[in-house]
Amino acid sequence: MINSYLEQAQLNVEQQLINAELEKLEQYLNSNAAPAVRWQYQIPELGEGGACSLFGYLQDEPFNLNDYVSQNTQTTAKLAQLQLIVDYVIENTQLDWYGIYQNTATPEGDQLLKLAYFGAPSRPLFPLTAEFATGSNNVQVALSGKGRVINNVEQYLAAGGEYYTCDPKVKAEACLPLFNAQKQCIGIVDGEAFSTDFFDNATLALLIACCIKIPHFLV
């Protein structure tokens, strides 16, 4: 399972580290009560082109998650487990932002839907199109199924790398795919840090362990 994930996501992290993190995650999920599901959350106004958020400018109406997923007992239980995984990630990495997204069919087409997260308000939906991928790490990873780790955004930009800067405080980012049993990419996780060189092997092993577990709770 771990080797298959690493090959498909094109990531190079020691399997032993990931396996150890999987065991820790399982213990955490089994010993901690799941938090309440956040069915509504504030979202920002979008900037020019719609790829990024205008930080500090929130829309008047909150985003309703139950407009896109059924608010029933089974779904609520799964979303609660996803939020518990978010809590685990934040407790053990001190990331400044972390979110779990699922590929979802909407009236506007297939989009990434944010199911659970920690951090500042951010956009809830990302169109899964090649055009949008040019300005979105999330969509680029969702369409390619390949992980994307940038440990120094400033250096990456200076070297000519493509990166759509949404929050200037973000100095490092890791965006990793989620796969189903058929090895199809069905979502992503996105982690952001306000310091460079944040995503070492130990941190990536923890995030990958979560990526292996998360698909069990997607809705």
Side-chain angles (χ1 to χ4, degrees):
M1 183 190 307
I2 295 174
N3 184 58
S4 175
Y5 180 90
L6 292 173
E7 286 184 357
Q8 194 164 356
Q10 296 189 5
L11 296 168
N12 185 21
V13 179
E14 293 180 28
Q15 293 188 45
Q16 187 174 356
L17 285 176
I18 300 169
N19 192 58
E21 292 296 341
L22 265 172
E23 292 180 4
K24 294 176 186 177
L25 176 60
E26 289 282 3
Q27 292 173 1
Y28 184 89
L29 295 178
N30 291 333
S31 60
N32 287 271
V37 173
R38 187 163 31 177
W39 287 101
Q40 289 188 329
Y41 50 80
Q42 293 298 124
I43 58 174
E45 297 286 353
L46 296 181
E48 185 177 354
C52 284
S53 306
L54 292 176
F55 289 90
Y57 296 88
L58 297 178
Q59 295 186 19
D60 293 333
E61 295 296 323
F63 179 78
N64 291 307
L65 187 57
N66 58 358
D67 288 342
Y68 296 87
V69 297
S70 300
Q71 191 171 348
N72 55 41
T73 302
Q74 183 180 24
T75 299
T76 300
K78 288 184 176 182
L79 290 174
Q81 289 298 306
L82 291 180
Q83 190 61 53
L84 188 58
I85 292 175
V86 171
D87 293 348
Y88 176 80
V89 169
I90 299 306
E91 287 179 22
N92 289 277
T93 67
Q94 285 74 57
L95 271 168
D96 295 288
W97 202 96
Y98 178 78
I100 298 172
Y101 299 78
Q102 175 178 290
N103 296 7
T104 303
T106 76
E108 293 75 30
D110 291 340
Q111 302 194 66
L112 279 175
L113 170 66
K114 186 172 65 179
L115 297 177
Y117 76 102
F118 167 87
S122 64
R123 66 176 300 145
L125 292 162
F126 290 82
L128 285 170
T129 64
E131 180 182 8
F132 203 85
T134 62
S136 168
N137 290 327
N138 290 357
V139 175
Q140 186 176 135
V141 170
L143 292 180
S144 70
K146 300 173 184 177
R148 185 169 166 82
V149 180
I150 302 173
N151 258 320
N152 191 316
V153 172
E154 185 177 350
Q155 286 185 2
Y156 182 78
L157 286 170
E162 295 181 0
Y163 187 86
Y164 204 114
T165 301
C166 292
D167 183 351
K169 295 192 296 296
V170 174
K171 305 300 182 185
E173 180 175 10
C175 190
L176 308 178
L178 302 170
F179 301 118
N180 62 13
Q182 291 73 43
K183 298 184 178 182
Q184 298 167 319
C185 185
I186 54 173
I188 60 105
V189 301
D190 186 30
E192 298 176 347
F194 296 164
S195 57
T196 58
D197 301 319
F198 187 91
F199 298 101
D200 56 16
N201 279 345
T203 302
L204 286 173
L206 184 150
L207 295 180
I208 291 169
C210 292
C211 287
I212 291 172
K213 190 68 177 177
I214 285 170
H216 298 289
F217 303 118
L218 294 181
V219 298

